Amino acid sequence: MKNSRRDFLQKVGASALALQLASITSWGAKRETYDGPVLRVAILGLGNYAARVADAMQSCTKAKLVGLVSGSPDKLTKWSAKYNIPAKNCYNYQNFDDIRNNKDIDAVYVITPNSTHHDFILRTARAGKHAISEKPMAINVKQAEEMIAGCKQAGVKLLVGYRMHFEPKTLEVVRMRKEGEFGKIMFFQGLCGFRIGDPKQWRLKPEMAGGGSMMDIGIYAVNGARYMTGEEPIWVTAQETKTDPVKFKEGVDETIQFQFGFPSGATASCLSTYNMNGLDKFFLNGERGFAEMQPSTNYGPIMGRTNQGELTQPATIHQAVQMDEFADIIFHDKQPPIPVDGYEAVKDLKIIAAVYEAARTGKKVSVTV
């Protein structure tokens, strides 16, 4: 087993790769020619997921990879050659602030361990560049709110890598819910998990990750519960299970089951784990219908059905669509169907904090986002 959620997500959809590629080819062929402004992006942190984003951006029409930031000289050399990035657009973590003088870069996408997002996003804002953070945006609410304030003060936009907010099948379910096709929403279930590998990786270090499975994979269920029901939870209960206290040390959650209550009376039951493979399912139930998605959040293809039949929207390259949509948000103030700004990220972090408190105390915790 590979070492991270991203490696896991890469593998989950492999059996349906032919279908995905066919759908993606079809999707690509239907896109219109674009002659508007192109968002020129530097990626900061050149790890596995950054590579996926960089590769995906090769098919973007509204965004382009033009810069690199890394603490590894070897990576800068290899990446600049692979993606044809000029030396003047390559930075290390020490001279990164000089990016303020580079007029060829509009935005910086921070794809580093969770605890480093805060500093890099604030440095990005002070350099006058639009800031994009991978999720979770920060390791706590205080950091996230400081990031929002820093970007607002600098007059730059702050976006978060919620790629599922642009995924066609997901958006179709949200549309159906908004138009009342499921009737009154009663229940949501979100199952998110995989068996994590290398015990020395940063995701199992609380000072770098800000937690464990909840911060890494459970956030999909937290966020999904919100956009699938269209409501914000008002209470949380949670139960933690830990079978390996050596691997999952203090401050690193292995498995958490958590429940939400919503103002309408709807409820949610979710699971986040680093100790079970193949958990990637959303289920939404209403008085007149349902939606089931499995896989629901991996890199593709997303599969799903409702009481009306199979979801047939095309598969897409999530990161490519995300970056093109980010360009529209930054240049044209486009409002996406599901928010992808810093305030959206703060809501998730407030709920995750409530989940941790409920798991620790065994009590029902009120939450206001």
Side-chain angles (χ1 to χ4, degrees):
M1 184 67 197
K2 292 288 188 179
N3 293 337
S4 73
R5 165 181 57 83
R6 288 165 181 147
D7 295 317
F8 163 74
L9 293 177
Q10 252 174 316
K11 286 181 172 294
V12 172
S15 62
L17 183 58
L19 172 63
Q20 179 189 15
L21 291 176
S23 299
I24 288 172
T25 301
S26 173
W27 164 77
K30 294 177 182 177
R31 291 187 298 170
E32 297 178 359
T33 301
Y34 175 75
D35 60 2
V38 173
L39 181 67
R40 299 166 300 175
V41 179
I43 291 179
L44 187 154
L46 307 183
N48 291 338
Y49 188 67
R52 176 170 282 272
V53 172
D55 288 342
M57 288 187 69
Q58 304 312 301
S59 64
C60 285
T61 57
K62 302 178 182 180
K64 182 179 181 181
L65 176 63
V66 301
L68 303 169
V69 187
S70 176
S72 169
D74 288 344
K75 286 184 178 180
L76 284 174
T77 299
K78 292 176 181 177
W79 282 54
S80 61
K82 179 177 180 179
Y83 299 108
N84 195 28
I85 307 298
K88 70 180 184 66
N89 288 2
C90 295
Y91 300 86
N92 57 43
Y93 295 151
Q94 286 69 47
N95 68 12
F96 168 58
D97 302 296
D98 294 341
I99 203 170
R100 65 166 50 89
N101 302 315
N102 193 325
K103 296 181 179 180
D104 296 331
I105 296 173
D106 302 311
V108 177
Y109 192 167
V110 176
I111 310 177
T112 51
N114 303 341
S115 64
T116 66
H117 295 177
H118 174 265
D119 181 54
F120 282 132
I121 290 295
L122 290 179
R123 290 173 69 181
T124 297
R126 288 194 293 266
K129 306 300 181 182
H130 297 294
I132 304 169
S133 173
E134 241 322 288
K135 62 185 181 305
M137 189 172 80
I139 60 172
N140 55 51
V141 173
K142 179 176 181 293
Q143 281 193 355
E145 290 177 337
E146 289 173 356
M147 293 159 73
I148 291 173
C151 290
K152 185 176 182 180
Q153 182 177 3
V156 300
K157 285 189 166 66
L158 172 59
L159 303 175
V160 185
Y162 287 109
R163 59 187 169 81
M164 300 312 300
H165 292 198
F166 306 108
E167 196 283 315
K169 292 183 177 68
T170 300
L171 290 178
E172 173 62 9
V173 172
V174 171
R175 181 201 66 77
M176 293 176 70
R177 185 262 300 160
K178 285 181 176 179
E179 295 187 6
E181 295 184 30
F182 302 127
K184 177 180 169 60
I185 299 301
M186 306 298 294
F187 176 73
F188 171 81
Q189 180 188 48
L191 305 178
C192 301
F194 67 99
R195 187 181 291 273
I196 199 167
D198 182 9
K200 296 181 180 180
Q201 64 179 284
W202 69 262
R203 287 179 179 81
L204 296 176
K205 297 177 180 179
E207 68 277 8
M208 297 184 73
S213 71
M214 276 298 304
M215 294 291 280
D216 187 30
I217 192 78
I219 190 171
Y220 283 93
V222 170
N223 192 248
R226 295 174 50 233
Y227 64 68
M228 293 289 267
T229 65
E231 295 191 83
E232 305 292 0
I234 55 176
W235 59 256
V236 173
T237 53
Q239 307 80 38
E240 181 176 5
T241 303
K242 187 171 291 193
T243 64
D244 187 346
V246 175
K247 186 173 186 178
F248 304 102
K249 58 182 72 71
E250 183 69 24
V252 179
D253 49 286
E254 174 189 324
T255 300
I256 295 184
Q257 298 176 73
F258 55 99
Q259 302 79 39
F260 296 157
F262 298 97
S264 68
T267 57
S269 178
C270 303
L271 174 70
S272 170
T273 184
Y274 268 162
N275 199 35
M276 296 177 231
N277 276 336
L279 292 180
D280 186 10
K281 179 180 179 179
F282 282 178
F283 177 77
L284 183 69
N285 182 257
E287 286 186 332
R288 295 202 303 270
F290 71 88
E292 182 177 47
M293 306 182 74
Q294 186 176 14
S296 57
T297 64
N298 75 33
Y299 297 143
I302 302 303
M303 307 292 285
R305 65 189 180 99
T306 74
N307 54 292
Q308 298 179 23
E310 294 293 320
L311 293 169
T312 58
Q313 289 69 28
T316 60
I317 304 172
H318 298 176
Q319 295 80 8
V321 176
Q322 172 188 279
M323 297 311 295
D324 276 345
E325 290 289 333
F326 281 178
D328 278 340
I329 293 169
I330 288 172
F331 289 136
H332 307 299
D333 289 319
K334 181 178 180 179
Q335 298 300 309
I338 311 171
V340 290
D341 56 23
Y343 297 103
E344 176 78 356
V346 166
K347 291 176 181 180
D348 282 343
L349 288 168
K350 286 182 176 180
I351 296 166
I352 289 173
V355 169
Y356 280 143
E357 182 182 352
R360 178 178 57 83
T361 63
K363 297 179 180 180
K364 178 184 287 188
V365 175
S366 296
V367 59
T368 302
V369 299

